[in-house]
Amino acid sequence: MSFGEQPAYLRVAGDLREKIVNGSLPPHTRLPSQAKIREEYGVSDTVALEARKVLMAEGLVEGRSGSGTYVRERPVPRRVARSGYRTGGGSTPFRQEQSDPSARGTWESRSEQTEADAPLAERLAIRPGDRVMRTAYVYRDAGETMMLATSWEPLAVTGRTPVMLPEEGPLGGCGVVERMAAIDVIVDNVTEEVAARPGLAEELSALGGVPGHVVIVIHRTFFASGRPVETADIVVPADRYRIAYHLPVK
């Protein structure tokens, strides 16, 4: 193979990918069999198999038990708006979006006390083993899971206060900024780091993805006078959503 030349399996995968993208192989169409790929492209069984694996890893095709491999429906990416913290409005950005009558968003949450491991302790500037309130969220739109989130708050800040449980009490469901203000903790800064990685098995199961799918992960932390008071991991399927930031210019 000369310098710059692609391996045969990537060339075959690239041609099949192009047919999927341009509609020659529309959604729900059965992908050519391994034998047909071998015959059409003049390649070995190994090359044909590897090409199919590439398309499956990219989420372009899916295997159906006892039936074969089929082109997947390609979702039209939707936007998830991020605009930093909001000082008012009485709800989180997700809940505010659901005030639109056309939105069909629902969510579930579960809170429990746990101990911070070393990475989490570093994010919250506390000691490993310190108690935190962990809240796991599942967000859905029209019944489809669109986002997973897990937040942690140090109980040294919220413990034995009316806002100890983020989704219960007089300010249950309100944003971090408003809840913290109720206990005289003034949030003045928020950071978000965005990364991409292969989804974990349990994440992809909840999000309706297939093994190998990439997810977008947002690491968010709220600060009050330099002290972290909440940190969260927000997980969004990369093939279905785009993260859009709208940040004020001061």
Side-chain angles (χ1 to χ4, degrees):
M1 184 175 65
S2 62
F3 180 76
E5 183 181 354
Q6 282 188 320
Y9 76 95
L10 289 181
R11 295 199 302 273
V12 174
D15 188 70
L16 292 171
R17 185 190 302 112
E18 178 63 25
K19 290 179 179 179
I20 293 172
V21 171
N22 67 24
S24 299
L25 288 172
H28 310 296
T29 299
R30 187 172 180 175
L31 192 71
S33 67
Q34 188 169 314
K36 191 166 185 178
I37 291 175
R38 181 189 64 210
E39 179 182 348
E40 181 178 349
Y41 292 95
V43 296
S44 66
D45 280 332
T46 300
V47 168
L49 177 61
E50 290 302 314
R52 289 159 63 91
K53 286 182 178 179
V54 169
L55 298 177
M56 190 166 291
E58 293 176 350
L60 295 174
V61 300
E62 62 184 353
R64 299 180 186 175
S65 180
S67 181
T69 304
Y70 291 80
V71 177
R72 296 182 72 238
E73 187 83 42
R74 297 184 68 214
V76 177
R78 298 167 53 195
R79 295 170 68 235
V80 174
R82 310 289 301 170
S83 57
Y85 66 85
R86 304 185 185 186
T87 56
S91 63
T92 65
F94 182 83
R95 290 175 183 270
Q96 288 176 352
E97 290 164 6
Q98 304 318 307
S99 64
D100 181 346
S102 65
R104 293 173 289 173
T106 60
W107 54 90
E108 301 170 6
S109 66
R110 185 181 69 256
S111 295
E112 61 179 355
Q113 293 189 34
T114 186
E115 294 181 354
D117 59 17
L120 178 59
E122 183 176 0
R123 288 172 63 173
L124 287 173
I126 58 179
R127 295 171 301 182
D130 282 359
R131 304 290 291 177
V132 296
M133 183 64 70
R134 176 185 183 274
T135 304
Y137 295 89
V138 178
Y139 298 105
R140 297 185 176 90
D141 183 24
E144 175 187 334
T145 303
M146 62 169 288
M147 182 188 303
L148 306 174
T150 306
S151 77
W152 298 269
E153 297 177 352
L155 288 173
V157 176
T158 62
R160 299 186 180 183
T161 74
V163 301
M164 184 173 74
L165 293 169
E167 296 294 321
E168 299 180 24
L171 292 178
C174 292
V176 174
V177 176
E178 185 170 353
R179 289 178 48 250
M180 293 295 169
I183 57 173
D184 297 322
V185 176
I186 307 304
V187 172
D188 53 21
N189 191 24
V190 58
T191 64
E192 291 194 349
E193 297 181 1
V194 182
R197 59 165 170 77
L200 304 178
E202 56 270 26
E203 293 170 341
L204 295 176
S205 176
L207 292 168
V210 298
H213 267 192
V214 173
V215 294
I216 300 169
V217 183
I218 303 170
H219 301 288
R220 182 196 68 202
T221 305
F222 285 98
F223 296 86
S225 300
R227 179 184 186 182
V229 296
E230 189 261 13
T231 193
D233 288 345
I234 301 162
V235 179
V236 182
D239 64 331
R240 281 175 276 161
Y241 295 92
R242 297 290 181 266
I243 307 299
Y245 281 87
H246 302 276
L247 304 176
V249 177
K250 295 183 179 180

